[in-house]
Amino acid sequence: MQSETDGGERRVYLDIEFGYVYGTCRAVMMPIEIGAIAHNPEDDSIRYMAERFCYDIDVEIWKKVTDECGRTVGVATAVANMGRGEYRKPYDHFYRLPGDGTPVAKTTAQNAFTDLRLFMESIVPTVKARAIVVFAADMEKRAFRSAGFSLDGCMLVDLQRDIRRHFRMKQVLSLDRLARLIDFSTDGSTIASTHFRYPVPQEYRHLLDAHRGMGDAARTFLLAREFQEKLPHLEERIHGLIRTCEGES
C-alpha cells in the first residue's frame, strides 16, 4: 500500500457501501453500492461512476455514530431490500434466517461481489488509473479479495491511514469529521471544499448524501486534494482539533 502523497498519476477515489444479510448474525456481507470519481491531474478533470448492486434480499446497514472528535459513540442500524426498493424496514436483533436461508444468502452475496469485480475491471483500465484511493481500506481490501478483483500493479492508498501517520494522531478521525474540517458541501450541482469546487452531472446529483457510495467518494476526493495541495491550512485545522480532543480525553 502506498502513500497518498506519492506521484501525480491518474487516480480513482471510491467508496463501497456494504450490508450484512439480515438474519445471519453478520456472517454474510455483501456490497450494496459503489461510487467512484476518477481524477486526471493533467487537466484537473473528473469523471463520476456509480453502481448499485440490487438483489431481492434483506440487508442490515450499520453506520457508526461519531462525536465531534471522530470517536465512535454508537451504531445506527437499518434494514433495506435494494431489489424491491424498500428502506427503513424494522430491525429485530433476534431475527434469524429460517432453514436453508444462509446458503442462499451466501450465493446472493457472491453474485453481488461478482458485480463489484466487473465494475472495477471496467473502470480502472478505462480511466487508466494508477492508484485507487479509499478512506479506511480494510473493508475494500476484504471486498476485493471476495470479488476476485486483482489490483494488478495498481496502488491501493488508504487516505485515513496517511492522515493519521502525517499528524501522528493517537486515534483516527472519521470521514464525517474531516469533511467538516475541509468545509465539504454540495448544493446538488457542485461539490466543494475550502479550496476546490467541481460540477456534478445531473444523473449523479441525487447520490451525494453522506454514507452513500458517491457521497463518500466525493468527500474522499476533496479531502485528498486538500491534503495534497493545501496541507498548511488543513494542518492548522487538524492540530486545533487534536488539541481540543486530547484535552477532553
Side-chain angles (χ1 to χ4, degrees), residues 198-238:
Y198 293 89
V200 181
Q202 181 71 42
E203 62 267 32
Y204 296 105
R205 293 177 182 177
H206 66 292
L207 302 175
L208 294 173
D209 291 341
H211 310 300
R212 294 289 306 272
M214 183 57 74
D216 281 1
R219 298 197 297 172
T220 299
F221 168 58
L222 289 179
L223 175 60
R225 297 301 313 277
E226 297 284 347
F227 183 52
Q228 287 176 300
E229 301 184 38
K230 302 295 180 180
L231 184 58
H233 182 270
L234 180 61
E235 201 161 28
E236 180 181 350
R237 301 199 70 173
I238 287 183

Side-chain angles (χ1 to χ4, degrees), residues 11 23 37 52 86 126 156 203 227:
R11 297 184 168 210
I37 294 178
R52 300 179 72 205
E86 298 173 352
T126 298
L156 180 63
E203 62 267 32
F227 183 52

Side-chain angles (χ1 to χ4, degrees), residues 25-183:
C25 299
R26 301 183 70 182
V28 181
M29 182 188 75
M30 59 185 285
I32 56 176
E33 69 172 354
I34 184 171
I37 294 178
H39 179 236
N40 182 355
E42 295 178 2
D43 58 6
D44 196 25
S45 62
I46 63 174
R47 176 179 175 181
Y48 297 81
M49 296 159 285
E51 186 77 32
R52 300 179 72 205
F53 310 118
C54 298
Y55 288 88
D56 185 6
I57 193 168
D58 287 352
V59 294
E60 303 170 17
I61 302 173
W62 294 62
K63 302 293 184 184
K64 290 182 179 179
V65 179
T66 58
D67 64 13
E68 288 298 301
C69 292
R71 295 178 293 228
T72 300
V73 295
V75 177
T77 308
V79 177
N81 187 304
M82 306 288 286
R84 297 181 184 177
E86 298 173 352
Y87 304 93
R88 298 182 181 179
K89 300 178 68 175
Y91 171 71
D92 180 358
H93 176 74
F94 298 101
Y95 173 74
R96 300 293 181 267
L97 280 177
D100 61 351
T102 298
V104 172
K106 289 181 178 179
T107 298
T108 301
Q110 192 54 55
N111 290 337
F113 279 113
T114 298
D115 293 344
L116 172 63
R117 175 178 58 80
L118 294 174
F119 178 84
M120 294 300 301
E121 289 177 346
S122 70
I123 69 168
V124 172
T126 298
V127 302
K128 300 179 181 178
R130 298 295 301 277
I132 297 170
V133 182
V134 299
F135 189 88
D138 288 347
M139 293 293 282
E140 276 76 12
K141 287 191 290 186
R142 178 180 171 185
F144 291 159
R145 286 195 299 268
S146 296
F149 171 68
S150 173
L151 291 170
D152 194 23
C154 190
M155 295 186 299
L156 180 63
V157 177
D158 185 339
L159 183 59
Q160 184 186 52
R161 185 201 66 173
D162 284 359
I163 290 174
R164 180 183 183 181
R165 285 183 174 179
H166 179 85
F167 293 105
R168 300 179 181 178
M169 293 183 292
K170 296 178 181 178
Q171 296 180 325
V172 296
L173 291 178
S174 69
L175 184 57
D176 289 335
R177 187 53 180 154
L178 287 166
R180 288 193 288 270
L181 290 182
I182 64 168
D183 301 316

